[in-house]
Amino acid sequence: MASKVLMRPNIPSMNHVAYSGSMVPRSHSSGQLCLPKKRADTTAFRSQSHVSSFITPAMSTGLAKTSSSTSSSSLAHMWREVQGCNNWEGLVEPLHPFLRQEIIRYGEFVTACYEAFDLNPKSKRYLTCKYGKKNLFREVGMGNSDYEVTKYIYATPDVNIPIQNEPSCGRWIGYVAVSSDDAVRRLGRRDIVITFRGTVTNPEWISNLMSSLTPARLDPNNPRPEVKVESGFLSLYTSNESDNKFGLGSCREQLLSEVSRLLKRYKGEELSLSLAGHSMGSSLALLLAYDIAELGLNRLDPKLDVPVTVFSFGGPRVGNSSFKERCEELGVKVLRIANVNDPITKLPGVLLNENLRVFGGTYEFPWSCSCYEHVGVEIALDFFNMQNPSCVHDLGSYISLLKCLKRDQVQKDEENLFNRARESILSRAQNINMEPLKNAASNVVNLVQSQRTEFLKDDTILGLMNSFALYILL
């Protein structure tokens, strides 16, 4: 079974209730996560460390520069671990800040797909991207991403339904982008990112419901009939506009061609292939990752494989146990970010899944080959909004929650800082044998720690605390 880590940050309740494992409310509050009260949009949560109030502006500027430089340098040195070379061992519990930062970053790349997708039937760009490749990131508020879009990707659902008068053509599904030279220095490698949006149109929803397993057969030299994937996802990945002489090639053909071109162009550099998707998009990302590795496109020479990593947000199961095992053999790394209350992550294979495939870890059932299995390591989030149940699958909710995790860490860091300050103050007081000062210092630190929320609202008291702390420590 896939590895799983449950993340339930302790965040004060704001009229929202968290649930665990089902849509039934928990009767206790330990470990519960509460979304912000206003959740109408996907604006990032903003958190500020109370400790920063003890730092002067000059000190703050210097620390910010040092922190930024250190962060970039450290990420550049450990990017392979963040991309999953060791299956994220030691990075998910607790969630490492660099990994959290990268998960959020790739999630925002996927968010750009939704924001740029034109769903206005009266628009000339209906079912395509509203912006040109050069302007995409700027138009969606990601002008400082330091990535350049190189290709738009279209998928053609091989499904015709009379529900909506939609043209039978390829729908814009995502894009391919490459990091700039500046980003290369910060990230430690040239990153090729491929992102996919989730289900939006009716034919795509129908494709999602085609939950029968079918052999992938993506490698013509070795079809591997035992490796099976969900037929609807495979159809969306491989279907083309065959009835149109000037129609688009399949999503697969577009992607493999562009990936091959970019790998050849940047051969000789440190490279990474980062695939990210939400919902149905995460399924396409995983199919592409498997396809690239199965065909060996990421093998630039006998001793060098370009890492292939999938960042899946609210993704469903894609294939059977043989598909999972083959992905692992090929070195495809998958990090699944899933809300335990998100029903999409339980599909397909609600009954026939990894939990029933093996009985007692020893005996295989006759239907084991027909069981769906998740691939990779899971970071399980836990949130639910009674007023807006659909948020359980909303990508904005996923990203906002991941950003909210920082608050938990800030509180822990803050407590550690107070503890270190207490130890330092007491140590100095003992060294100079000033018992009254020792007691006073201890009382002040205890008071600040227990009532820091109220104290931090009063700049005058903060100034006094600054002066007192500096006097003692210096």
Side-chain angles (χ1 to χ4, degrees):
M1 292 177 62
S3 302
K4 180 175 180 178
V5 178
L6 180 62
M7 308 297 265
R8 290 178 179 167
N10 255 330
I11 301 173
S13 175
M14 299 177 70
N15 297 330
H16 286 252
V17 182
Y19 296 77
S20 175
S22 68
M23 296 302 181
V24 181
R26 287 199 297 263
S27 59
H28 57 84
S29 60
S30 68
Q32 71 173 262
L33 167 69
C34 305
L35 295 177
K37 188 173 183 180
K38 293 183 179 180
R39 192 58 197 90
D41 55 31
T42 58
T43 304
F45 291 123
R46 300 180 184 273
S47 59
Q48 297 179 346
S49 171
H50 298 322
V51 180
S52 63
S53 300
F54 289 87
I55 302 175
T56 64
M59 294 168 62
S60 178
T61 302
L63 289 174
K65 291 181 179 179
T66 303
S67 175
S68 176
S69 175
T70 303
S71 175
S72 300
S73 176
S74 300
L75 179 59
H77 283 89
M78 65 176 295
W79 70 266
R80 290 184 179 275
E81 288 76 10
V82 171
Q83 293 291 110
C85 70
N86 295 324
N87 293 315
W88 296 282
E89 183 177 351
L91 297 182
V92 294
E93 189 177 7
L95 189 59
H96 193 284
F98 290 159
L99 178 57
R100 184 183 64 84
Q101 166 189 313
E102 291 297 275
I103 292 172
I104 293 171
R105 191 167 67 89
Y106 288 117
E108 290 174 340
F109 278 127
V110 180
T111 300
C113 292
Y114 286 108
E115 295 184 354
F117 191 44
D118 194 338
L119 283 170
N120 181 6
K122 298 180 180 180
S123 171
K124 294 181 179 180
R125 292 180 176 269
Y126 180 46
L127 298 181
T128 63
C129 183
K130 292 184 284 188
Y131 315 112
K133 291 193 291 289
K134 292 183 179 181
N135 301 325
L136 172 64
F137 289 137
R138 186 182 73 248
E139 293 290 345
V140 299
M142 295 177 60
N144 59 349
S145 66
D146 280 337
Y147 277 70
E148 175 189 357
V149 177
T150 65
K151 189 175 183 63
Y152 281 166
I153 306 300
Y154 298 82
T156 305
D158 189 19
V159 178
N160 292 316
I161 55 175
I163 297 178
Q164 181 174 327
N165 293 323
E166 294 178 357
S168 57
C169 62
R171 281 83 167 159
W172 186 70
I173 198 80
Y175 59 88
V176 182
V178 181
S179 57
S180 67
D181 292 340
D182 289 339
V184 169
R185 288 187 285 271
R186 185 176 70 254
L187 300 174
R189 85 282 187 188
R190 180 82 61 181
D191 187 35
I192 300 171
V193 61
I194 306 167
T195 65
F196 302 89
R197 62 169 174 81
T199 308
V200 175
T201 67
N202 289 327
E204 292 166 357
W205 280 111
I206 297 299
S207 294
N208 289 351
L209 297 176
M210 297 168 60
S211 59
S212 61
L213 283 166
T214 186
R217 301 183 185 276
L218 295 178
D219 183 359
N221 298 319
N222 192 348
R224 298 184 184 276
E226 75 281 2
V227 176
K228 298 180 179 182
V229 296
E230 199 260 8
S231 58
F233 299 147
L234 184 64
S235 172
L236 192 63
Y237 182 61
T238 59
S239 295
N240 57 28
E241 298 177 18
S242 56
D243 57 344
N244 189 333
K245 181 179 179 180
F246 302 101
L248 289 168
S250 68
C251 172
R252 181 194 185 206
E253 293 169 345
Q254 299 168 53
L255 286 165
L256 295 183
S257 173
E258 182 66 3
V259 169
S260 298
R261 184 185 74 83
L262 293 174
L263 290 176
K264 182 177 180 180
R265 175 180 177 180
Y266 295 108
K267 186 176 181 179
E269 296 187 29
E270 288 272 23
L271 293 171
S272 65
L273 283 168
S274 304
L275 288 61
H278 172 242
S279 191
M280 174 194 71
S282 68
S283 303
L284 295 176
L286 182 51
L287 282 174
L288 174 62
Y290 164 72
D291 202 2
I292 290 172
E294 189 69 90
L295 296 177
L297 296 183
N298 64 320
R299 177 155 292 184
L300 301 185
D301 62 56
K303 296 183 178 180
L304 177 62
D305 286 359
V306 175
V308 180
T309 306
V310 176
F311 293 90
S312 167
F313 297 86
R317 297 183 182 94
V318 176
N320 64 355
S321 59
S322 296
F323 175 74
K324 171 183 178 291
E325 292 164 3
R326 186 57 182 158
C327 285
E328 293 173 347
E329 290 174 5
L330 293 169
V332 173
K333 304 301 181 181
V334 182
L335 186 64
R336 294 186 300 107
I337 300 90
N339 177 11
V340 297
N341 301 307
D342 186 349
I344 301 300
T345 63
K346 313 295 191 297
L347 302 173
V350 176
L351 298 177
L352 296 179
N353 55 52
E354 60 270 9
N355 296 319
L356 292 180
R357 189 177 70 86
V358 178
F359 180 77
T362 304
Y363 304 103
E364 292 278 340
F365 286 121
W367 56 80
S368 293
C369 61
S370 298
C371 286
Y372 284 89
E373 287 207 26
H374 274 305
V375 181
V377 176
E378 177 179 295
I379 296 178
L381 306 177
D382 186 359
F383 63 91
F384 182 79
N385 183 345
M386 180 68 75
Q387 299 175 357
N388 181 22
S390 65
C391 80
V392 297
H393 187 60
D394 177 58
L395 179 59
S397 298
Y398 272 80
I399 296 176
S400 295
L401 178 56
L402 288 164
K403 291 181 177 180
C404 203
L405 291 176
K406 188 175 182 180
R407 293 184 177 185
D408 223 24
Q409 188 61 46
V410 165
Q411 291 177 359
K412 293 178 181 178
D413 292 343
E414 182 181 332
E415 291 173 0
N416 292 335
L417 178 61
F418 277 111
N419 289 335
R420 290 196 300 271
R422 182 209 303 274
E423 293 173 1
S424 177
I425 291 172
L426 295 180
S427 175
R428 290 178 180 270
Q430 288 174 349
N431 291 338
I432 59 178
N433 195 26
M434 296 178 65
E435 193 66 25
L437 183 59
K438 170 185 172 182
N439 294 334
S442 178
N443 291 335
V444 168
V445 171
N446 287 332
L447 183 61
V448 171
Q449 186 172 7
S450 62
Q451 301 293 331
R452 58 181 178 274
T453 302
E454 286 71 25
F455 270 110
L456 293 172
K457 294 178 181 177
D458 191 325
D459 293 336
T460 303
I461 296 178
L462 279 176
L464 293 174
M465 294 302 101
N466 277 335
S467 301
F468 182 81
L470 290 173
Y471 176 80
I472 298 297
L473 295 176
L474 296 177

